Amino acid sequence: MKVAVIGAGVMGSGIASAIVLGGHEAIVYDIVPEVLRNSEKLIGSLIREMKGNSDGELGEFHVESSLNEAVKGADIVLEVIIEDLNAKRELYEQLTTYIGQDVPVASNTSTFTVEQLSKDLKIQDRILIAHWVNPPYVIPLVEIARAPWTSEWAVNKITGFLKELGKEPVIVPDIPGLIVNRFNSAVYREALRLVANYNIDPQTIDLVWKKHLAVIFSVTGVLGTMDYVGLDTIVRAASSLSSPSQDEDVKAASLIIDKVSRGELGVKSGLGFYPYSGSDRLSLELSRAHSIRGVLKCLEDVS
Ligand SMILES: NC(=O)c1ccc[n+]([C@@H]2O[C@H](COP(=O)([O-])OP(=O)(O)OC[C@H]3O[C@@H](n4cnc5c(N)ncnc54)[C@H](O)[C@@H]3O)[C@@H](O)[C@H]2O)c1
């Protein structure tokens, strides 16, 4: 596949590297010539390092200083420009005359929805979100979102390409921040509150994450972790830590309170967010402990 990557900053350079490392062709464009020159060097170095091959073939990629030339003949366009709604929509308008009818345009936006990005544009049926995360040449997850008017073929072309690259596209609802950035903002907000209001040093906060939270969440996810804690215990803890203030919080609180009232307490009752009735309590505990040890061992190896 020939893929045009529009925007050669932090993410554009990383995404182009992932494409070339996956055996496809990347053409990279940016409005700032210096950014484009730096990106060309960075992509070359990243590919060499990731391949463990200092002088060998880089694969197919080049930079282009004209938008029209960059997207000419491309099978897919990835938009990775600054997080500015007007700039993104203006770019899509420009692309209308340059790209073929069968070329989808996937945005890497962190905060806008597909509806906001594409509504009433001529190519609105071909615009969707493919949200890669940093570093994109290493992390497999890519969130995919579509508007009601996004064509099925456009979604299939992008997800098919990502799978071929070895990525794991996950379809998520078209809501601001998708899933990744909603979690990111909640976690960042709490970290900043702890530093600003309680004067906790950054090292302590990051240590708590590295030695506990990141480890546990990597094994059982967030809702699975709640099942292991016990949903009744979480309800008691939550009521002493905070009280719901907004409608969304009230709805979230009643989700777990209702589960507890039905006896769905998590692992301890055999049903929580997930069912556990097929396995006994001890084997669940041991299997989780084994996975946690595995993650801790990997973390020791990289630190
Ligand atoms: N940085 C991250 O960790 C991260 C992670 C996921 C998603 N994102 C999203 O990816 C997108 C890019 O983020 P980034 O971190 O790479 O930003 P960046 O600032 O590093 O790069 C953005 C690039 O876009 C270029 N640009 C601006 N307008 C342009 C236009 N009309 N045509 C071509 N190039 C243009 C700029 O010159 C700049 O080089 C944003 O939507 C951002 O929200 C970023």
Side-chain angles (χ1 to χ4, degrees), residues 3 109 278:
V3 183
T109 181

Side-chain angles (χ1 to χ4, degrees), residues 6-7 9-12 29-32 35 80-83 88 108-110 131-132 134:
I6 311 301
V10 173
M11 290 302 285
Y29 165 79
D30 199 285
I31 37 168
V32 181
V35 169
V80 202
I81 71 168
I82 43 159
E83 191 70 354
K88 286 180 189 284
N108 198 49
T109 181
S110 303
H131 178 242
W132 303 57
N134 204 0

Side-chain angles (χ1 to χ4, degrees), residues 61-109:
F61 101 92
H62 66 270
V63 297
E64 212 14 282
S65 54
S66 134
L67 177 63
N68 191 358
E69 288 301 318
V71 298
K72 199 181 271 174
D75 299 297
I76 284 175
V77 174
L78 300 180
E79 173 273 296
V80 202
I81 71 168
I82 43 159
E83 191 70 354
D84 177 312
L85 186 58
N86 289 334
K88 286 180 189 284
R89 285 178 60 93
E90 271 167 31
L91 173 68
Y92 307 148
E93 289 275 36
Q94 277 180 281
L95 289 174
T96 306
T97 52
Y98 297 158
I99 59 175
Q101 299 276 326
D102 57 349
V103 179
V105 178
S107 174
N108 198 49
T109 181

Side-chain angles (χ1 to χ4, degrees), residues 254-270:
S254 54
L255 170 75
I256 190 167
I257 290 166
D258 291 350
K259 276 186 168 297
V260 170
S261 65
R262 289 195 298 268
E264 295 170 20
L265 309 182
V267 171
K268 66 173 108 174
S269 74

